[in-house]
Structure formats: structure tokens, C-alpha cells
Amino acid sequence: MRLIFLCLILISSIPQAIFSQKKKVAVVTFYTNKSVHLGFDVATELLTKEILDVNENKDFNLAPILEQYHDRFFNEYAADFPFDLLPENEVVENPDYINFQPKYESKKLFDYFAVTIKGYKYIYEGFMGKENEVAVAKMFADKADGVLFVNVDFSFDRTYGIAGVYNMKVLATTRISLYNKEGEKVFVVRERARSKQNATSLGMVPMIEPQEVLPMCESALLELMNDLKKRIKKITRNAAKKL
């Protein structure tokens, strides 16, 4: 009788174990743009590039602070997701992923190249990105219930001023986008934060040395990461139900 009772308990626990199993999501790209941009008009953008020229400055390297964001994303934020993240090696070492040629790979407006976490490809998603979204979703459909695109970019953000002289900060903006197995959008999160440090701009052009830009980017990203830590659980809590 006792044996029968134990068997009934085990049988009744099986459906619960099945339904309580968390879904899995593959992070398929993790990158930042190489440059800090203004995001206004072409003429100002190009003029700023001539003055700062951080694209060609070997001392301007966003890779280390991108690593900081990556590490916090996987070591801290992932614990608050309503799904599990597929181990990174199962993504970046996947032969189909390695051989995948994304649309718009590595080339961005004004020749701003992407800096990626080692092993990841630059994969564009969003406006006109359907081809990439569907391709990677199907690529990992046998292992994951969805795919996650993560990027962060930096721009100068003019706040206030007088007589043509303005206060300017660096604005860090992250985009976290989740798609299901069919490549259909589940959610898009856009969070942003400003640096604590200020710079001065004459009109739209920052009056700042290239070596001063990187600490402002790091400050903005730190503010962003701290804010995101407080909000990520609330932002993503219903995501698993839509996968």
C-alpha cells in the first residue's frame, strides 16, 4: 500500500516538473558601435568626426566597457529573467552560427563599425532586419525557445545652454530584443542613462579632447547598468509566456 502511495506521489509530480521547467533563450549578438555620435544631421556628424576622430584613435576602445556590460548581463541580470540563457559556447561555437552571413554585417551608417564580444557576430535587428531575426531564430529552434539581441550605443546629448554654448553629456542606450522560434518579436527594451561628467559644446560640436570621451562613456554605461539592474525583472516578467 505504501509503495502504491509513493508511486502516485511521483506520478502526480511529473506534470508539475514539466510545466515548471524554464524556457531557454539564446543570446545571438552582443555589441556596441565603435563611435560616439550626435544623432542629429549629417554635416554636424561629419564635422564632429573630423574634430574628435575617435574612430581612428587607437586609445579610444569601447571593448573593455562592453565586457563590463556583458559580464553583468550574464552574471546578474540573467538571474532575474523568467527564462534561462543558453550557454554562450553553444551559440558562438555552433557551426551554423559561425558560417552565418548576416545582412548588414559589420557595416553601419557613416562607416561606424561594431565592436562585439569575442565570438559573437554583429547581427542587425529591427527596421529591415526581419531576414536576420528569422534566420537566427530558426538556427537555434531545436535548442532555444527564442533568441535575444543585445547592443548598447553612445551619443552626445545636449542638455541646456546659452548664447550658443551648451552643456553636453554622453548618453548610453541599450536595446534588448527578444524573438520567438519563428522570428516574431516578443519584446523590445530600450533603456538609457547619461554620464555624470559634462562637456561643453559650441553649437552642436563638442569642445572636448578624444581622451576625455571614454571616461564619459564608462560613466554613462555604469549609470545605465545600475538602473537596468533595478528594472530588468519587472520589464521581462511576462516574456516567457509569450515564447
Side-chain angles (χ1 to χ4, degrees), residues 14-30:
I14 291 174
Q16 184 178 355
I18 292 173
F19 289 118
S20 64
Q21 185 175 5
K22 290 176 75 174
K23 293 186 177 180
K24 292 186 181 296
V25 167
V27 177
V28 293
T29 189
F30 209 113

Side-chain angles (χ1 to χ4, degrees), residues 123-188:
I123 306 177
Y124 173 79
E125 62 83 28
F127 178 66
M128 295 181 66
K130 189 66 176 178
E131 187 176 322
N132 287 339
E133 296 153 10
V134 172
V136 291
K138 291 183 176 180
M139 187 184 301
F140 292 100
D142 61 332
K143 293 184 177 182
D145 301 285
V147 290
L148 202 63
F149 298 75
V150 185
N151 72 75
V152 60
D153 63 55
F154 300 91
S155 60
F156 287 107
D157 184 41
R158 192 176 68 173
T159 54
Y160 61 87
I162 187 171
V165 179
Y166 295 88
N167 184 62
M168 188 168 278
K169 294 176 180 284
V170 165
L171 180 69
T173 304
T174 189
R175 179 181 171 99
I176 304 169
S177 307
L178 178 65
Y179 293 80
N180 65 18
K181 287 184 177 183
E182 286 72 44
E184 298 168 339
K185 188 185 299 179
V186 175
F187 72 68
V188 174

Side-chain angles (χ1 to χ4, degrees):
M1 188 68 180
R2 184 177 178 181
L3 180 60
I4 294 173
F5 180 70
L6 289 172
C7 288
L8 288 173
I9 291 176
L10 288 172
I11 292 170
S12 65
S13 67
I14 291 174
Q16 184 178 355
I18 292 173
F19 289 118
S20 64
Q21 185 175 5
K22 290 176 75 174
K23 293 186 177 180
K24 292 186 181 296
V25 167
V27 177
V28 293
T29 189
F30 209 113
Y31 71 89
T32 183
N33 294 338
K34 187 178 180 182
S35 292
V36 181
H37 58 87
L38 282 170
F40 295 104
D41 59 83
V42 175
T44 306
E45 197 76 59
L46 294 176
L47 179 59
T48 303
K49 184 178 184 298
E50 288 300 315
I51 294 171
L52 290 177
D53 204 20
V54 292
N55 254 25
E56 306 301 325
N57 191 323
K58 64 181 181 180
D59 295 323
F60 186 82
N61 182 10
L62 288 171
I65 65 174
L66 180 65
E67 287 280 358
Q68 294 176 31
Y69 183 34
H70 166 269
D71 292 347
R72 288 194 68 173
F73 192 92
F74 278 88
N75 298 331
E76 293 184 31
Y77 306 157
D80 291 328
F81 291 149
F83 45 75
D84 289 328
L85 296 181
L86 205 66
E88 289 186 279
N89 66 296
E90 293 187 27
V91 176
V92 299
E93 295 175 9
N94 183 308
D96 291 333
Y97 182 83
I98 293 171
N99 295 323
F100 177 54
Q101 183 66 39
K103 194 173 183 181
Y104 313 119
E105 182 183 22
S106 77
K107 191 79 171 174
K108 297 209 75 174
L109 194 61
F110 304 116
D111 290 328
Y112 289 163
F113 292 93
V115 177
T116 63
I117 293 295
K118 186 178 180 180
Y120 283 102
K121 290 179 176 288
Y122 163 68
I123 306 177
Y124 173 79
E125 62 83 28
F127 178 66
M128 295 181 66
K130 189 66 176 178
E131 187 176 322
N132 287 339
E133 296 153 10
V134 172
V136 291
K138 291 183 176 180
M139 187 184 301
F140 292 100
D142 61 332
K143 293 184 177 182
D145 301 285
V147 290
L148 202 63
F149 298 75
V150 185
N151 72 75
V152 60
D153 63 55
F154 300 91
S155 60
F156 287 107
D157 184 41
R158 192 176 68 173
T159 54
Y160 61 87
I162 187 171
V165 179
Y166 295 88
N167 184 62
M168 188 168 278
K169 294 176 180 284
V170 165
L171 180 69
T173 304
T174 189
R175 179 181 171 99
I176 304 169
S177 307
L178 178 65
Y179 293 80
N180 65 18
K181 287 184 177 183
E182 286 72 44
E184 298 168 339
K185 188 185 299 179
V186 175
F187 72 68
V188 174
V189 174
R190 281 177 61 87
E191 292 286 316
R192 54 182 56 188
R194 292 178 176 86
S195 61
K196 288 188 174 181
Q197 297 99 319
N198 297 325
T200 301
S201 72
L202 185 59
M204 299 302 299
V205 181
M207 308 304 290
I208 185 173
E209 296 296 323
Q211 61 267 25
E212 298 176 85
V213 181
L214 192 58
M216 292 180 71
C217 293
E218 189 166 14
S219 172
L221 183 59
L222 180 60
E223 295 298 312
L224 172 63
M225 291 190 296
N226 290 339
D227 289 347
L228 198 58
K229 175 59 179 174
K230 298 173 186 175
R231 289 173 40 77
I232 196 70
K233 189 172 185 177
K234 182 178 179 181
I235 291 170
T236 63
R237 64 185 174 187
N238 296 318
K241 298 176 184 177
K242 300 177 183 179
L243 285 173

